[in-house]
Every structure is written in structure tokens, then in C-alpha cells.
Amino acid sequence: MSRETLSLSAPSDEQVYMYVSALEGGHPSLAFCLRHSKSDKRVVFDLGIRRDIKEFAPAATERFLPTVKQTVAESLKAGGLGVQPSSVDVVVLSHLDLNHVGDPSLFTTAEFVLGEGSKKALADLGSCPNPTAFTSVRVPEDRLRSITTLDLNVVIGPYPCAMDIFGDGSIWILLGVDSAHHPDLITGAMQIAYRVDPNTCSVTCVHEDKEAAEENIRRMRSLLEVPRAQVLISHDIYWCQEKKNKDVFLPYIIPPLIVQ
């Protein structure tokens, strides 16, 4: 796909956008708080890890016990802008792994946005390829919005399936789902780890669909070539180290890229 095809539209006087701030989500997870430039609606993308995660995902924490110095809810409150979990309008959960779902119960008025796969997992965790990665945490069904293939009806850049969540071009949900667990996967310095069974030739991978994950990584890599486009992933350890103690976490915003 050409660079010209991936270029972003020029800014306009009436353009709406989101102010984006990073949130601590427990190591090694980031979350993001977004504020609509006109309506002032608050969106939180992912809820990180809850402090008492061992109680809710005992099988997973036998092999991985994350460090949670500050939860997403605590990060919102510490931002000093009066943002409480109860005042958030929308929570988007990329998927239901234990280091992304956090504690939904604190977001008492928010609409929860999930993909179809996550909705299926909520109904039957046993249907997932790796159920131990999930927690017993539930999201409120009366405030649940499930994204279907009919919602993902817009092409944006290299992504053939996207949804304009507010209908004004301010924020798009793309079909991606945790494809890159390390920034080196996006640059190409690292490849997805997998194992081939010598007897059955079956492939075991952290991703349910290795080929789909690789294609999504290629799409993210192509965005690196687009002026004014920033690619941030929840597990970007390099970005976290570089921005540690910098003014990118709430109440500050991640500054836009300036094209000379």
C-alpha cells in the first residue's frame, strides 16, 4: 500500500479530535484516557490490571504475577482533573486478557464497547484458545455494546475494517486485538514466537490466528511511514521507559507530531 494512500486528511477549522493521555495500568500495561474536543466526553481505552488480580485469575498468576503500582482507576483520580471512574462515558476493552480488563465495576455509568469475540468469551470462557489468560471479571451487560462486522464498515488507511465510534471522525476502532506484545514486532526486529509440534506439525502460538496477527502487525508497521501518525501499543516498554516522569500521563496529553 502506498504512502499516498495512507496519508491523513488535512486539518480543518471544524475538525473534531481527541486529547489523548496515557494512564498507568500496572506493569507491563498501558491504558489511555481520551477527551472529545467538542463534547468533552471521556473515553478510556483498556483498564489495565487490577490490584487483586490473583483472586480473579489464579491459574494465570501462577506463572505471571504483574506489578501494579497504580491501577487505571487510581491513575484517573491522580490526574487531578476531577476525572472519576464513575464520570467516564465510554470504556473500550480491546480484549479480555487479565492485563487489559481491570476492574469494570468502578465505571458505574460508562458504556462498555467490546468486539464479538470478547462477547463470546464472556458467555463461555472455555471456548477461548487460552482461557487461563482471562479473569472471572464481568462487564455490565445492560451497558454493553458489542461491535459486529456490520459496524466495521469503513476503510481507514491500511485497515479494511474500522468503526467511527462517535460518527464524527474523532476516534476510530480498528480490528486489531493485541497483535503486538512488543514494539520490536512492529519494526520487524522481532517475529511472533511459535512452536511446531514435530509429530502433528500443528502450530502453537500466543495468537489464535498467527497469520491474521502478522497481517495486522504489517498494517501497524505501514503507519510508521505516515506523517503525523503515532503508533502506541499497550505493552510498549520502550515508550514507557522513554516517557517515564514525562508530561504524557494524565493530566497532561500526548503531544501530536509536528510535520515540518
Side-chain angles (χ1 to χ4, degrees):
M1 188 170 291
S2 70
R3 180 168 176 162
E4 181 176 330
T5 303
L6 296 180
S7 62
L8 300 176
S9 58
S12 67
D13 293 338
E14 298 300 317
Q15 178 179 329
V16 290
Y17 50 89
M18 305 296 287
Y19 296 100
V20 182
S21 304
L23 296 172
E24 296 281 359
H27 184 74
S29 293
L30 277 173
F32 301 93
C33 179
L34 303 94
R35 178 170 62 87
H36 195 276
S37 62
K38 287 192 175 181
S39 70
D40 213 37
K41 284 187 174 182
R42 302 275 183 173
V43 178
V44 171
F45 183 86
D46 274 349
L47 296 181
I49 310 168
R50 60 187 297 157
R51 194 177 304 282
D52 53 352
I53 190 62
K54 194 169 184 179
E55 177 183 348
F56 290 88
T61 53
E62 287 177 1
R63 54 185 175 81
F64 168 66
L65 190 60
T67 301
V68 186
K69 294 182 178 180
Q70 193 172 66
T71 66
V72 166
E74 292 165 348
S75 189
L76 283 171
K77 295 175 183 178
L81 295 179
V83 184
Q84 300 292 327
S86 58
S87 67
V88 171
D89 297 284
V90 179
V91 173
V92 180
L93 295 179
S94 60
H95 59 302
L96 299 179
D97 275 9
L98 64 91
N99 53 354
H100 292 263
V101 73
D103 186 357
S105 68
L106 301 175
F107 296 79
T108 53
T109 61
E111 175 186 47
F112 282 79
V113 179
L114 301 174
E116 281 188 301
S118 292
K119 184 179 180 181
K120 181 181 178 181
L122 283 174
D124 179 16
L125 286 180
S127 67
C128 305
N130 185 21
T132 60
F134 294 89
T135 78
S136 58
V137 171
R138 313 299 291 178
V139 298
E141 294 187 9
D142 60 327
R143 288 182 279 119
L144 175 60
R145 179 181 180 183
S146 177
I147 300 174
T148 69
T149 52
L150 294 178
D151 297 314
L152 297 162
N153 55 11
V154 179
V155 176
I156 179 168
Y159 288 86
C161 300
M163 184 183 82
D164 185 351
I165 188 170
F166 289 136
D168 58 11
S170 61
I171 178 173
W172 300 84
I173 291 180
L174 309 173
L175 196 58
V177 185
D178 209 25
S179 291
H181 298 90
H182 194 284
D184 282 349
L185 289 167
I186 300 176
T187 62
M190 183 186 293
Q191 303 299 315
I192 292 177
Y194 65 95
R195 181 177 65 85
V196 179
D197 188 294
N199 299 315
T200 64
C201 294
S202 61
V203 177
T204 302
C205 176
V206 68
H207 301 284
E208 181 177 359
D209 188 330
K210 178 174 175 291
E211 287 70 28
E214 289 173 332
E215 176 58 31
N216 189 55
I217 289 172
R218 284 191 288 269
R219 289 170 180 156
M220 287 189 283
R221 187 177 303 147
S222 71
L223 289 174
L224 297 176
E225 302 298 321
V226 181
R228 298 188 291 119
Q230 297 188 63
V231 179
L232 294 178
I233 58 174
S234 295
H235 309 303
D236 194 329
I237 58 173
Y238 298 148
W239 191 87
C240 290
Q241 291 170 353
E242 178 188 349
K243 303 299 183 181
K244 186 178 181 180
N245 301 322
K246 299 287 181 66
D247 294 344
V248 293
F249 290 85
L250 199 71
Y252 305 101
I253 63 170
I254 300 172
L257 296 179
I258 304 299
V259 180
Q260 303 295 330

